[in-house]
Amino acid sequence: MNLGHVLCAGALLAGTAAQAAASCVPERLPAGSRALGEWIDAGNWRTPGHLRAGLRTPETFLPRLSLPAAPDAQPLPAAAQPLDLDRLTLDDPVDGTKRSVAALLDSRLAAESVLVLYNGRVFAERAWHDARTDAPHLLQRAGRPLLSLLGVMALAQGRLAGERAVARYVPALANQAGLRRLSVQRLLDGEARFDWSAADLAGWQQAAGWAGAPAPGGVRDWLRQPVRWDAGLRDQPPPTAEGGPEDDLLVWLLAEAHGMPLARLFCEQLLVRLRPEQPVAWLTDAAGSELAGGLVMSLRDFARLGQLLVEARVSPQRSRIPGWFVEALTAPATGGEAPGLDGLRAGAEARYGFVRLAGPGARIAILGAHGSSLYVDFDRRLVVALYAAHPEPGSPLQRATLERLWERLSAALPAPGRR
C-alpha cells in the first residue's frame, strides 16, 4: 500500500470516527404534558392498569436525552420460512393445557411485542394491542445489565479498578462511609443491595421523578445525603420495577469515570456498533441526570443488543466487549444461591445483572420488569426479544413461562447450519 492509500484510509477512518462522535451528542428534550388524557398522569402512569400506555409513551412524563437512529441502519432481514406463532404450541405452565405460543404470550405474559432472531434473520415478529416493534418502549430494569456491561468495558480500558471502593471515583460521595465497603466489582455484579426501607425507596422514586412531580435536585441529590449508605448490604434482587438506588449510583460512577453523560457513553461504546433503526433515549430526572431504569428503545433495536452479544462471542477480536466477559456469562453454573430467580430451572445464576440459565448450552437472559426480557442462546445464535406489560413486576410463574417459551421456540427452529 502506497502513502496515498495510507493517507486516504486514515482520512476515511478519521471521518467515520468524527461522524460517530457527532451522532453521539444527545439532544436534551423536556417532558411532555405529564398526562395522557383525563385519567393517566405523572402519579399513576406506571400502575398496573396504565402500564401499556405508560411504557409506550414515557417521554410524556419525564425529560430525556435522545440519540438519533443510525443514518446507515439496515432493516433486519427476514427468514424465508418464518415461524407461525399461532400454530406453534406448548404446554401452559398454569394448567398443562396445550396453547399456541401467540395465545400464551398474550394471556400469560401480557405481551406487547416479540421478535425471534435466528442466525441474524427474523423468524417471528408479532405485536399485540396496537403496539409496534419499531416504536419506543421503556425497558425499566432490563437496562441494568447493560450498565454492568459498560462498567466491564471501563475495567478493560483501565478507567475503573474492580477492587477499589466506589466512593473513590465519585468525589461528591467521598465522605459516605457506607460506600467504602462497596467495591466497583461488587456493584457491577449487580446483586449487592442495601437494606432500604419503604420510606427510603419512596423518597428515591420521588427524587428521580418516577412518582409524581420530580424533585428539583434530582436523584443524585438524594444519593449524596449524609448517612444515606449506612444501611446493611447483602445480595438480593432489585426492589422495584425501575431497579434500586444502587443502579443510579452505577450511572453516576460510569459518568464520572468517563467524564461524559451516560447517554453519550452508551452511544459511543454500543450504539455505534448496533446501528439502531430508531432513536434511542435515556429518561432523566429534573436535574438532567440519566436514570438507570430509563432506557427507551424499540424492540427491533433491543434484539440487536442480543445479536451484538452473539457476535462478540463469535468474533471477539472485532468487538469492544471483552472476550472474558462473554465467557464469564456463559461459564457452567456453580450451584450457588439465586435470589429472585425462582421459577427458572434449578441452577440458574445471576451474573452482572444477566441470568445464566441452567441446562446444556451457553444461554443467558435479561429479565426486565413486567415480563420484558431478552434471551440469547450463543450456541444456536438465537435471540428472543420481548416487551410485555404484565401487572406484576416479576413472579415465578412469569419466569417459568418465559423459560418454556424460549425452549419451545428453539426446538421449532431448524438445526444449526440449516436455514
Side-chain angles (χ1 to χ4, degrees):
M1 182 179 291
N2 61 34
L3 180 59
H5 289 154
V6 171
L7 292 175
C8 182
L12 180 61
L13 288 173
T16 302
Q19 289 175 0
S23 69
C24 285
V25 177
E27 180 182 8
R28 191 173 295 278
L29 298 171
S33 62
R34 298 189 186 275
L36 282 176
E38 184 179 356
W39 305 109
I40 304 177
D41 57 36
N44 65 18
W45 65 283
R46 294 174 306 104
T47 55
H50 303 149
L51 270 178
R52 287 197 189 277
L55 294 176
R56 294 181 196 177
T57 58
E59 71 282 355
T60 301
F61 306 99
L62 287 169
R64 68 195 187 279
L65 290 175
S66 181
L67 296 155
D72 59 345
Q74 298 292 322
L76 295 168
Q81 295 181 313
L83 297 176
D84 186 341
L85 300 185
D86 290 304
R87 300 185 65 179
L88 191 66
T89 63
L90 76 165
D91 295 338
D92 188 335
V94 172
D95 57 12
T97 303
K98 281 200 176 295
R99 304 185 192 280
S100 74
V101 167
L104 198 83
L105 280 164
D106 187 15
S107 62
R108 299 300 185 213
L109 292 171
E112 291 274 272
S113 53
V114 67
L115 191 147
V116 179
L117 197 61
Y118 179 54
N119 280 323
R121 294 185 176 275
V122 177
F123 270 73
E125 186 173 18
R126 182 76 172 266
W128 290 262
H129 310 291
D130 298 321
R132 298 194 343 244
T133 58
D134 63 348
H137 193 280
L138 176 61
L139 272 79
Q140 296 184 296
R141 69 181 178 214
R144 174 59 172 82
L146 304 177
L147 298 179
S148 284
L149 173 57
L150 291 175
V152 164
M153 295 168 77
L155 291 178
Q157 296 161 9
R159 294 181 179 273
L160 293 171
E163 72 281 0
R164 290 191 174 183
V166 170
R168 294 192 60 176
Y169 290 99
V170 186
L173 301 176
N175 294 326
Q176 291 278 0
L179 286 180
R180 294 173 193 159
R181 53 198 164 98
L182 178 62
S183 68
V184 169
Q185 184 62 52
R186 195 170 184 195
L187 182 61
L188 296 183
D189 287 343
E191 298 172 66
R193 301 277 171 182
F194 288 80
D195 282 327
W196 304 107
S197 68
D200 286 331
L201 291 174
W204 163 70
Q205 290 178 312
Q206 185 71 45
W210 293 117
V219 72
R220 292 184 185 177
D221 187 55
W222 187 92
L223 296 175
R224 68 163 62 95
Q225 293 303 307
V227 304
R228 176 66 72 202
W229 301 93
D230 285 357
L233 184 67
R234 62 187 178 91
D235 288 348
Q236 54 188 320
T240 75
E242 304 81 38
E246 300 83 4
D247 306 321
D248 284 318
L249 175 65
L250 178 53
V251 170
W252 200 352
L253 170 69
L254 292 170
E256 290 287 343
H258 293 84
M260 65 177 68
L262 172 67
R264 180 163 186 168
L265 173 64
F266 182 69
C267 180
E268 291 185 0
Q269 297 291 334
L270 295 175
L271 283 190
V272 292
R273 294 177 180 271
L274 204 69
R275 296 200 293 275
E277 287 185 54
Q278 302 297 328
V280 175
W282 282 93
L283 302 181
T284 75
D285 59 21
S289 298
E290 296 96 330
L291 300 171
L295 179 58
V296 180
M297 64 193 318
S298 74
L299 185 77
R300 281 183 150 243
D301 292 329
F302 190 41
R304 279 181 164 86
L305 284 168
Q307 187 65 25
L308 190 71
L309 290 169
V310 169
E311 292 168 0
R313 192 188 193 213
V314 173
S315 304
Q317 69 279 4
R318 298 175 58 187
S319 174
R320 290 187 181 182
I321 300 172
W324 67 261
F325 177 70
V326 175
E327 295 309 314
L329 289 183
T330 58
T334 61
E337 292 292 323
L341 298 183
D342 43 323
L344 297 177
R345 298 189 190 280
E349 292 180 352
R351 297 176 182 176
Y352 293 95
F354 295 82
V355 176
R356 201 296 184 192
L357 296 166
R363 302 177 306 126
I364 66 169
I366 291 176
L367 296 178
H370 304 293
S372 293
S373 55
L374 184 70
Y375 171 76
V376 180
D377 184 333
F378 289 94
D379 297 332
R380 299 212 67 198
R381 304 191 68 176
L382 168 63
V383 175
V384 181
L386 172 67
Y387 283 161
H390 194 279
E392 294 180 288
S395 72
L397 178 57
Q398 267 186 40
R399 292 183 282 272
T401 304
L402 284 169
E403 191 155 41
R404 289 198 184 189
L405 169 72
W406 298 328
E407 291 174 353
R408 184 65 186 94
L409 290 171
S410 181
L413 289 164
R418 297 177 58 191
R419 301 294 168 92

